[in-house]
């Protein structure tokens, strides 16, 4: 049995990369909950449809799935869907 998941469009910055993609959250959880949880089972965040840009060389690669270590995160920006902007 798997938990229901929600997807959140995000841009994540690490010391060396900018990552854009879909972050997968357990249904009814918040981004801040996931980032603030200290647990060995939640040290990595699942991101699909990832675009990873090296901040030094400006080279971008794409991956269908990555698992991002939360300890490397410096900044997370939640992207809004165009229909939600007012």
């Amino acid at each position: 049995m798997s938990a229901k998941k929600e997807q959140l469009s995000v841009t994540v910055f690490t010391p060396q990369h900018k990552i854009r993609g879909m972050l997968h959250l357990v249904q009814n959880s918040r981004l801040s909950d996931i980032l603030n949880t200290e647990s060995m089972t939640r040290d990595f965040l699942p991101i699909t449809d990832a675009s990873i840009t090296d901040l030094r060389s400006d080279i971008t690669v794409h991956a269908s799935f990555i698992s991002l270590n939360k300890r490397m995160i410096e900044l997370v920006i939640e992207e809004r869907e165009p229909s939600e902007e007012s």
Side-chain angles (χ1 to χ4, degrees):
M1 184 173 178
S2 64
K4 293 195 178 213
K5 307 247 174 162
E6 294 179 355
Q7 294 183 12
L8 183 63
S9 179
V10 295
T11 300
V12 179
F13 287 88
T14 70
Q16 298 177 8
H17 298 94
K18 176 175 79 171
I19 303 163
R20 296 182 112 166
M22 300 303 293
L23 175 63
H24 293 256
L25 303 172
V26 175
Q27 191 172 26
N28 296 322
S29 65
R30 299 176 303 182
L31 177 58
S32 60
D33 295 336
I34 301 302
L35 293 174
N36 292 324
T37 300
E38 292 191 26
S39 167
M40 291 296 285
T41 60
R42 295 196 178 129
D43 283 345
F44 291 84
L45 301 177
I47 298 178
T48 57
D49 194 25
S51 173
I52 306 138
T53 302
D54 185 303
L55 295 174
R56 295 165 298 180
S57 67
D58 206 32
I59 294 173
T60 300
V61 296
H62 299 277
S64 59
F65 173 82
I66 64 170
S67 189
L68 178 63
N69 187 327
K70 290 192 316 187
R71 293 180 184 154
M72 299 304 297
I73 295 173
E74 292 185 332
L75 174 69
V76 178
I77 301 168
E78 181 180 346
E79 304 293 338
R80 299 280 182 208
E81 297 297 321
S83 61
E84 293 180 9
E85 293 178 2
S86 298

